[in-house]
Structures are given as structure tokens and as C-alpha cells.
Amino acid sequence: MDLTTSVIVQTSVWAINNTNMLNYPRGRERLEIVSVIVCSTIMGVANIMMIVQSAEAIISNDVNPEATIPTIAILLGGITIRIILLAICYSKSSQGCKLMGLDLRNDILTSVVALTCAIIGDRFWPLADPIGAIVVCSFIAISWMANVFSTIPLMIGRRAEQEAISRILRIAIQHDDRIKHIDHMMVYHLGERALVELHVVLDEHLPLKLTHDLTEALERKIRSLEFVERVFIHVDYQCDGWLGGH
């Protein structure tokens, strides 16, 4: 599963970095979100299958855990390496790194529980091994599926966090005294970063050049925010009474 996850993530990163801008004028950054959903679904289903296999082993009484010294050493070495990689992933902010971090965290948990239950099963109670597998796989399956359900809204237009909306609104209000009103504003996700639609009201007699320069400067300010992908600013000379914004 680690290999599968890595291949999917690396393939999406390669595709993003090698985008034909003629065919994809705005790039393919959303592929990273898609890879997160695909990997999370695969990992969730894989852990559900492990739960089924462990339950079948208990029912058929086909349980024979072995905890040898080489096995313990390999598991401890793997846990140590994964902890180091986990720290590296958590220091990054991309969706791909978050996905790998979640995978590594689950691997560490799985390895610790597997090692503990294997030792208990080998020396004291054989059923500890499959029962431990069911418990940890249940937790991991739930965490992966929760990741799916938390990521999907980023693809279908979910509203941005209130803090992000407030920051953009403050920038718009303080940008220039010639902005008479903020008619309405929408800040929403169609990917990891947000899209901003802003309608502002200016004096109808303001020259076109000044209008252009004012709104372009405002667009640059908003687009400089780390969570903003694109900004659309519409200029009007009066409020149109639109009530669907935030």
C-alpha cells in the first residue's frame, strides 16, 4: 500500500509539474486533491479487507502468530525510519505531504500494535494478534475515510474558512477610500486554495484608468494571500441587492 500511495502521489506531482499550459491554461494543481481522494479510498478499503481476514482467522481458529528476534528488529527499524519521515512530511504544507504524513502515521500505529500483539500472541494469548489487527485496522479505515469526506468539499465549491473571508474583506475595505461599498463577496474552494469573487461599488464618474488601476492593485493584494488561487473583481456603480454572498 505504501508503494501504491507513493506512485499515485508522485505521478500526480509529475503531471502537475509537466503540464501543457496550452491544453491546461490554469494548470493541473487539482490533481493533487484527486490523488488524495483516490489514495484515501484505496487505503480505507484495504484496511477493511484486513479486518475481514482477521475476523475469518478468528472464526476458523487459524491463528499462529510468531514474534522472532529478527521480526522484532525489522519492525523497530521500520518504526524509527517512519517517525523521521513523518516529521519531514509534517513540516510541509502541501496536500501530498499531508497524505504521506497520514499514511506514515497509520503505518507507525500499525507497526506498534502489530509488534505488541504479535509478542502477546506468541507468548501468552494467540487471539491477541488478530484482535489487535481488527482494532488498529478499524481505526485506520475510519481515519482514511474521514480524510476522503473532508477532502471532497474542497473540490465542489465549499466556502472558505471564516478567518480567510475576514482577511480578504478587511483588505478590500481598507484598500482605497474610493471604494464606496462592498456589494458582495464569495470565497470558496475548487481545489486546495480558494477562489475569490468580489463585487465593489465605485463612483460612476471615476475614469476608466483609475478604476482599472484601483481594482488591479486590489486583485494583487488579495492574490498575494497564501490561501488564494484566483481573484475575480467586478466593478459596479450601484449595489444591485444581490443576497447570496458572505
Side-chain angles (χ1 to χ4, degrees):
M1 287 296 103
D2 287 342
L3 180 60
T4 301
T5 303
S6 299
V7 168
I8 293 174
V9 172
Q10 291 303 319
T11 301
S12 69
V13 171
W14 178 87
I16 292 169
N17 293 333
N18 293 274
T19 298
N20 184 329
M21 300 307 292
L22 181 63
N23 294 330
Y24 300 92
R26 287 294 177 180
R28 295 189 289 187
E29 291 186 2
R30 292 180 180 84
L31 276 176
E32 192 170 24
I33 297 288
V34 174
S35 70
V36 169
I37 295 174
V38 171
C39 289
S40 297
T41 303
I42 291 173
M43 297 300 288
V45 172
N47 279 277
I48 291 173
M49 293 174 64
M50 288 294 296
I51 293 171
V52 173
Q53 290 179 0
S54 298
E56 289 177 346
I58 294 174
I59 294 171
S60 62
N61 198 27
D62 184 19
V63 180
N64 186 28
E66 294 183 3
T68 62
I69 297 300
T71 301
I72 294 173
I74 291 171
L75 284 172
L76 289 175
I79 291 171
T80 302
I81 294 172
R82 286 184 174 91
I83 290 174
I84 296 172
L85 294 175
L86 178 64
I88 295 173
C89 286
Y90 277 179
S91 67
K92 309 296 182 179
S93 60
S94 71
Q95 284 290 335
C97 287
K98 291 177 182 177
L99 175 69
M100 296 303 296
L102 179 60
D103 188 24
L104 288 167
R105 186 204 69 181
N106 290 339
D107 283 346
I108 292 169
L109 177 62
T110 302
S111 298
V112 170
V113 174
L115 178 59
T116 304
C117 291
I119 293 173
I120 295 173
D122 184 35
R123 300 182 181 180
F124 305 104
W125 185 40
L127 291 181
D129 189 41
I131 290 175
I134 291 173
V135 171
V136 73
C137 287
S138 297
F139 169 78
I140 293 174
I142 291 171
S143 69
W144 279 115
M145 298 315 294
N147 192 53
V148 171
F149 290 117
S150 66
T151 304
I152 288 176
L154 298 181
M155 294 290 294
I156 58 176
R158 180 179 179 178
R159 189 188 72 172
E161 296 295 329
Q162 186 59 48
E163 180 183 355
I165 296 173
S166 298
R167 288 179 64 183
I168 294 171
L169 186 59
R170 183 173 65 250
I171 290 173
I173 291 173
Q174 297 176 350
H175 175 64
D176 196 296
D177 292 337
R178 288 170 292 186
I179 296 179
K180 299 169 64 176
H181 306 286
I182 305 296
D183 192 3
H184 71 267
M185 181 176 72
M186 292 190 295
V187 186
Y188 57 93
H189 287 277
L190 288 177
E192 183 178 1
R193 293 188 295 166
L195 275 65
V196 179
E197 295 184 19
L198 179 64
H199 286 219
V200 298
V201 177
L202 302 178
D203 191 299
E204 60 182 305
H205 301 296
L206 194 67
L208 176 61
K209 181 180 183 302
L210 294 179
T211 299
H212 169 270
D213 293 346
L214 186 155
T215 54
E216 186 177 44
L218 176 58
E219 180 183 338
R220 284 198 301 268
K221 280 185 181 180
I222 297 174
R223 198 169 59 237
S224 68
L225 296 172
E226 68 279 1
F227 56 85
V228 173
E229 179 180 350
R230 296 184 66 188
V231 182
F232 303 93
I233 298 179
H234 172 75
V235 179
D236 208 336
Y237 61 89
Q238 64 180 0
C239 291
D240 60 13
W242 194 84
L243 300 177
H246 304 294

